[in-house]
Amino acid sequence: MAMSAVDIAPLRSLDEFLLSQSRFQVPDFNNSDKLFNRLVSNLLYYQTNYFISYLVIFLLIGVLNPGKMLVGILSMAIIFGLLYYLSNKQDQVKTMKKEHPTLVMMAAFCVGYFFIHQIASVAGVAGVAKKTPMALILDEWGIEPDLKYIS
């Protein structure tokens, strides 16, 4: 499919996207076909709004925690790059991806989460973890806080 054939969905108003309460109804969880159809319709109708929301949240977190965001992005890029490489080199991985895509995706995210958690733990033990401004001031004065009083 050529890029010229792709149409961008219109940006819906904020009132229509979030603020209008008349459109919010509890879905019928007993009818899975209707629930799935409603979910897909909502995603397609508001796709531009969801994309912009995702982009704003992603950029906000990136600005507030650039180091953590970089570690997360690099970790997940390594995990998915390894998954891509293995699916091209190993027939078993390729078959597993085709037969159980949700399981493979969830496993990749779990491994990525574990990997990021381990990096954060190692960085904390190595003393790379951030300190608060007050902790830095107290450290400069040679005062060690008694942590049993901090809750």
Side-chain angles (χ1 to χ4, degrees):
M1 180 188 315
M3 284 300 290
S4 61
V6 176
D7 292 329
I8 296 175
L11 182 65
R12 309 297 176 183
S13 70
L14 186 62
D15 184 51
E16 184 181 358
F17 183 56
L18 287 176
L19 304 176
S20 176
Q21 292 183 349
S22 64
R23 307 240 337 150
F24 290 113
Q25 298 172 356
V26 178
D28 182 16
F29 292 107
N30 296 328
N31 188 348
S32 61
D33 290 336
K34 187 175 181 182
L35 178 65
F36 182 73
N37 186 31
R38 180 175 173 188
L39 179 68
V40 170
S41 297
N42 183 286
L43 288 173
L44 289 173
Y45 188 75
Y46 293 112
Q47 61 186 311
T48 306
N49 293 67
Y50 285 128
F51 179 73
I52 290 174
S53 300
Y54 163 77
L55 194 62
V56 167
I57 291 169
F58 190 80
L59 290 173
L60 184 63
I61 291 172
V63 167
L64 295 176
N65 298 308
K68 291 179 182 178
M69 186 64 117
L70 184 63
V71 167
I73 290 171
L74 289 176
S75 299
M76 295 311 291
I78 289 169
I79 297 296
F80 284 107
L82 184 63
L83 182 62
Y84 177 77
Y85 174 78
L86 289 175
S87 66
N88 285 331
K89 296 293 182 188
Q90 302 269 332
D91 288 334
Q92 295 133 340
V93 176
K94 189 178 213 175
T95 305
M96 184 72 165
K97 272 180 70 176
K98 284 185 179 180
E99 292 178 1
H100 306 287
T102 305
L103 180 66
V104 171
M105 196 60 75
M106 288 176 59
F109 278 114
C110 288
V111 168
Y113 177 77
F114 178 76
F115 189 60
I116 292 167
H117 181 70
Q118 291 303 314
I119 289 173
S121 296
V122 169
V125 169
V128 179
K130 288 185 179 179
K131 292 185 178 182
T132 63
M134 184 55 73
L136 290 174
I137 292 169
L138 292 174
D139 188 44
E140 285 298 317
W141 286 344
I143 300 172
E144 290 188 31
D146 192 0
L147 298 177
K148 68 181 180 182
Y149 296 112
I150 300 174
S151 56

